[in-house]
mmCIF file of all heavy atoms in Angstrom:
data_model
loop_
_atom_site.group_PDB
_atom_site.id
_atom_site.type_symbol
_atom_site.label_atom_id
_atom_site.label_comp_id
_atom_site.label_asym_id
_atom_site.label_seq_id
_atom_site.Cartn_x
_atom_site.Cartn_y
_atom_site.Cartn_z
ATOM 1 N N ILE A 172 222.747 87.216 -60.589
ATOM 2 C CA ILE A 172 222.582 85.775 -60.426
ATOM 3 C C ILE A 172 223.556 85.302 -59.351
ATOM 4 O O ILE A 172 224.517 86.003 -59.007
ATOM 5 C CB ILE A 172 222.829 84.998 -61.736
ATOM 6 C CG1 ILE A 172 224.312 85.097 -62.155
ATOM 7 C CG2 ILE A 172 221.927 85.502 -62.845
ATOM 8 C CD1 ILE A 172 224.681 84.126 -63.256
ATOM 9 N N ALA A 173 223.279 84.124 -58.822
ATOM 10 C CA ALA A 173 224.181 83.505 -57.851
ATOM 11 C C ALA A 173 224.868 82.318 -58.513
ATOM 12 O O ALA A 173 224.222 81.507 -59.175
ATOM 13 C CB ALA A 173 223.409 83.040 -56.624
ATOM 14 N N THR A 174 226.180 82.234 -58.365
ATOM 15 C CA THR A 174 226.955 81.118 -58.897
ATOM 16 C C THR A 174 227.854 80.583 -57.800
ATOM 17 O O THR A 174 228.504 81.352 -57.096
ATOM 18 C CB THR A 174 227.817 81.549 -60.098
ATOM 19 O OG1 THR A 174 226.975 82.072 -61.118
ATOM 20 C CG2 THR A 174 228.590 80.374 -60.653
ATOM 21 N N ARG A 175 227.864 79.281 -57.672
ATOM 22 C CA ARG A 175 228.684 78.654 -56.630
ATOM 23 C C ARG A 175 230.015 78.189 -57.206
ATOM 24 O O ARG A 175 230.073 77.457 -58.188
ATOM 25 C CB ARG A 175 227.951 77.464 -56.006
ATOM 26 C CG ARG A 175 228.771 76.757 -54.937
ATOM 27 C CD ARG A 175 227.947 75.712 -54.209
ATOM 28 N NE ARG A 175 228.752 74.955 -53.261
ATOM 29 C CZ ARG A 175 228.263 74.113 -52.372
ATOM 30 N NH1 ARG A 175 226.957 73.917 -52.305
ATOM 31 N NH2 ARG A 175 229.049 73.448 -51.551
ATOM 32 N N PHE A 176 231.089 78.626 -56.558
ATOM 33 C CA PHE A 176 232.436 78.149 -56.848
ATOM 34 C C PHE A 176 232.960 77.460 -55.601
ATOM 35 O O PHE A 176 232.984 78.061 -54.520
ATOM 36 C CB PHE A 176 233.374 79.295 -57.230
ATOM 37 C CG PHE A 176 233.008 79.962 -58.525
ATOM 38 C CD1 PHE A 176 232.656 81.297 -58.556
ATOM 39 C CD2 PHE A 176 233.020 79.258 -59.713
ATOM 40 C CE1 PHE A 176 232.326 81.921 -59.744
ATOM 41 C CE2 PHE A 176 232.684 79.875 -60.908
ATOM 42 C CZ PHE A 176 232.337 81.207 -60.920
ATOM 43 N N ALA A 177 233.401 76.201 -55.731
ATOM 44 C CA ALA A 177 233.895 75.441 -54.581
ATOM 45 C C ALA A 177 232.828 75.436 -53.490
ATOM 46 O O ALA A 177 231.745 74.927 -53.700
ATOM 47 C CB ALA A 177 235.217 76.008 -54.092
ATOM 48 N N GLU A 178 233.120 76.056 -52.337
ATOM 49 C CA GLU A 178 232.198 75.997 -51.201
ATOM 50 C C GLU A 178 231.359 77.249 -51.017
ATOM 51 O O GLU A 178 230.562 77.322 -50.080
ATOM 52 C CB GLU A 178 232.990 75.730 -49.908
ATOM 53 C CG GLU A 178 233.734 74.403 -49.900
ATOM 54 C CD GLU A 178 232.797 73.225 -50.067
ATOM 55 O OE1 GLU A 178 231.711 73.244 -49.472
ATOM 56 O OE2 GLU A 178 233.146 72.283 -50.816
ATOM 57 N N THR A 179 231.517 78.258 -51.855
ATOM 58 C CA THR A 179 230.801 79.513 -51.625
ATOM 59 C C THR A 179 230.004 79.947 -52.850
ATOM 60 O O THR A 179 230.419 79.739 -53.992
ATOM 61 C CB THR A 179 231.764 80.652 -51.242
ATOM 62 O OG1 THR A 179 232.615 80.963 -52.346
ATOM 63 C CG2 THR A 179 232.598 80.269 -50.039
ATOM 64 N N THR A 180 228.869 80.569 -52.575
ATOM 65 C CA THR A 180 228.039 81.176 -53.612
ATOM 66 C C THR A 180 228.299 82.670 -53.636
ATOM 67 O O THR A 180 228.236 83.333 -52.593
ATOM 68 C CB THR A 180 226.548 80.911 -53.330
ATOM 69 O OG1 THR A 180 226.317 79.503 -53.330
ATOM 70 C CG2 THR A 180 225.672 81.558 -54.383
ATOM 71 N N GLN A 181 228.604 83.210 -54.820
ATOM 72 C CA GLN A 181 228.880 84.627 -54.966
ATOM 73 C C GLN A 181 227.945 85.250 -56.006
ATOM 74 O O GLN A 181 227.298 84.556 -56.794
ATOM 75 C CB GLN A 181 230.344 84.846 -55.370
ATOM 76 C CG GLN A 181 231.351 84.318 -54.360
ATOM 77 C CD GLN A 181 231.246 84.988 -53.001
ATOM 78 O OE1 GLN A 181 231.028 86.192 -52.913
ATOM 79 N NE2 GLN A 181 231.397 84.198 -51.935
ATOM 80 N N VAL A 182 227.878 86.595 -55.983
ATOM 81 C CA VAL A 182 226.973 87.335 -56.851
ATOM 82 C C VAL A 182 227.677 87.716 -58.148
ATOM 83 O O VAL A 182 228.825 88.171 -58.142
ATOM 84 C CB VAL A 182 226.453 88.604 -56.143
ATOM 85 C CG1 VAL A 182 225.551 89.416 -57.066
ATOM 86 C CG2 VAL A 182 225.713 88.236 -54.866
ATOM 87 N N HIS A 183 226.965 87.522 -59.252
ATOM 88 C CA HIS A 183 227.443 87.911 -60.576
ATOM 89 C C HIS A 183 226.376 88.768 -61.257
ATOM 90 O O HIS A 183 225.194 88.675 -60.943
ATOM 91 C CB HIS A 183 227.720 86.687 -61.450
ATOM 92 C CG HIS A 183 228.829 85.814 -60.962
ATOM 93 N ND1 HIS A 183 228.736 85.080 -59.802
ATOM 94 C CD2 HIS A 183 230.050 85.545 -61.491
ATOM 95 C CE1 HIS A 183 229.861 84.386 -59.627
ATOM 96 N NE2 HIS A 183 230.664 84.657 -60.634
ATOM 97 N N HIS A 184 226.823 89.575 -62.211
ATOM 98 C CA HIS A 184 225.903 90.357 -63.037
ATOM 99 C C HIS A 184 225.958 89.819 -64.459
ATOM 100 O O HIS A 184 227.037 89.578 -65.008
ATOM 101 C CB HIS A 184 226.301 91.839 -63.038
ATOM 102 C CG HIS A 184 225.459 92.681 -63.945
ATOM 103 N ND1 HIS A 184 224.251 93.215 -63.553
ATOM 104 C CD2 HIS A 184 225.644 93.080 -65.235
ATOM 105 C CE1 HIS A 184 223.741 93.904 -64.548
ATOM 106 N NE2 HIS A 184 224.559 93.835 -65.578
ATOM 107 N N VAL A 185 224.770 89.621 -65.046
ATOM 108 C CA VAL A 185 224.665 89.218 -66.447
ATOM 109 C C VAL A 185 223.936 90.334 -67.184
ATOM 110 O O VAL A 185 222.799 90.680 -66.844
ATOM 111 C CB VAL A 185 223.908 87.886 -66.595
ATOM 112 C CG1 VAL A 185 223.756 87.519 -68.065
ATOM 113 C CG2 VAL A 185 224.637 86.775 -65.860
ATOM 114 N N ALA A 186 224.584 90.914 -68.183
ATOM 115 C CA ALA A 186 224.060 92.115 -68.830
ATOM 116 C C ALA A 186 222.983 91.827 -69.861
ATOM 117 O O ALA A 186 222.133 92.675 -70.118
ATOM 118 C CB ALA A 186 225.207 92.888 -69.483
ATOM 119 N N ARG A 187 223.011 90.626 -70.484
ATOM 120 C CA ARG A 187 222.070 90.353 -71.570
ATOM 121 C C ARG A 187 221.871 88.843 -71.701
ATOM 122 O O ARG A 187 222.708 88.079 -71.202
ATOM 123 C CB ARG A 187 222.594 90.920 -72.883
ATOM 124 C CG ARG A 187 223.885 90.289 -73.358
ATOM 125 C CD ARG A 187 224.479 90.998 -74.558
ATOM 126 N NE ARG A 187 224.855 92.351 -74.205
ATOM 127 C CZ ARG A 187 226.009 92.670 -73.632
ATOM 128 N NH1 ARG A 187 226.892 91.724 -73.319
ATOM 129 N NH2 ARG A 187 226.302 93.908 -73.355
ATOM 130 N N PRO A 188 220.804 88.412 -72.353
ATOM 131 C CA PRO A 188 220.618 86.974 -72.567
ATOM 132 C C PRO A 188 221.807 86.368 -73.296
ATOM 133 O O PRO A 188 222.256 86.902 -74.326
ATOM 134 C CB PRO A 188 219.343 86.900 -73.418
ATOM 135 C CG PRO A 188 218.599 88.149 -73.083
ATOM 136 C CD PRO A 188 219.654 89.190 -72.861
ATOM 137 N N GLY A 189 222.329 85.279 -72.750
ATOM 138 C CA GLY A 189 223.488 84.642 -73.353
ATOM 139 C C GLY A 189 224.799 85.343 -73.080
ATOM 140 O O GLY A 189 225.850 84.911 -73.570
ATOM 141 N N GLY A 190 224.765 86.425 -72.299
ATOM 142 C CA GLY A 190 225.975 87.182 -72.016
ATOM 143 C C GLY A 190 226.827 86.523 -70.953
ATOM 144 O O GLY A 190 226.373 85.638 -70.226
ATOM 145 N N ALA A 191 228.069 86.954 -70.879
ATOM 146 C CA ALA A 191 228.988 86.424 -69.874
ATOM 147 C C ALA A 191 228.631 86.972 -68.501
ATOM 148 O O ALA A 191 228.129 88.087 -68.366
ATOM 149 C CB ALA A 191 230.423 86.794 -70.232
ATOM 150 N N ARG A 192 228.889 86.190 -67.475
ATOM 151 C CA ARG A 192 228.658 86.670 -66.116
ATOM 152 C C ARG A 192 229.904 87.400 -65.620
ATOM 153 O O ARG A 192 231.035 87.003 -65.896
ATOM 154 C CB ARG A 192 228.302 85.509 -65.187
ATOM 155 C CG ARG A 192 229.390 84.466 -65.052
ATOM 156 C CD ARG A 192 229.029 83.427 -64.000
ATOM 157 N NE ARG A 192 230.112 82.468 -63.853
ATOM 158 C CZ ARG A 192 230.035 81.203 -64.191
ATOM 159 N NH1 ARG A 192 228.922 80.740 -64.743
ATOM 160 N NH2 ARG A 192 231.043 80.394 -64.007
ATOM 161 N N LYS A 193 229.670 88.476 -64.861
ATOM 162 C CA LYS A 193 230.752 89.257 -64.269
ATOM 163 C C LYS A 193 230.640 89.147 -62.765
ATOM 164 O O LYS A 193 229.644 89.569 -62.167
ATOM 165 C CB LYS A 193 230.652 90.720 -64.694
ATOM 166 C CG LYS A 193 231.712 91.608 -64.060
ATOM 167 C CD LYS A 193 231.526 93.060 -64.461
ATOM 168 C CE LYS A 193 232.557 93.955 -63.768
ATOM 169 N NZ LYS A 193 232.344 95.390 -64.118
#
Side-chain angles (χ1 to χ4, degrees):
I172 67 168
T174 301
R175 179 172 175 171
F176 294 118
E178 298 300 319
T179 66
T180 299
Q181 299 298 321
V182 178
H183 295 68
H184 176 85
V185 177
R187 64 188 64 84
R192 62 174 182 247
K193 177 183 177 182

